Amino acid sequence: MVKKNIDRAKSLVDSGGDWDRRNRLKAYQGLYLLTIRSYNLAAPLLLDSLSTFTSYELCSYSAL
């Protein structure tokens, strides 16, 4: 279910999304990949979204 929603969000962002939405998608993808233990795929996404992190609904900045 989560993967399906992330794939749907990715297609929506690809069709027209600003940097904030793209950054949020990276954070969501990274967190999902952490939950399925794909650390090597999650790390670049989370590192890329870290400098402009605005996804406080996922976790606090200090928890990262």
Side-chain angles (χ1 to χ4, degrees):
M1 182 174 142
V2 175
K3 178 151 178 46
K4 181 181 171 183
N5 286 330
I6 287 177
D7 290 339
R8 183 173 167 231
K10 186 174 182 181
S11 68
L12 290 171
V13 166
D14 288 343
S15 67
D18 59 358
W19 68 268
D20 183 52
R21 284 184 170 66
R22 291 180 191 276
N23 199 38
R24 285 179 182 268
L25 180 59
K26 287 179 187 177
Y28 276 92
Q29 285 178 309
L31 188 62
Y32 168 70
L33 290 168
L34 282 178
T35 61
I36 62 169
R37 296 183 176 187
S38 292
Y39 304 119
N40 58 338
L41 297 175
L45 292 171
L46 292 172
L47 288 173
D48 193 32
S49 67
L50 187 62
S51 62
T52 55
F53 184 77
T54 57
S55 302
Y56 300 112
E57 67 276 5
L58 291 175
C59 62
S60 67
Y61 187 78
S62 61
L64 292 173

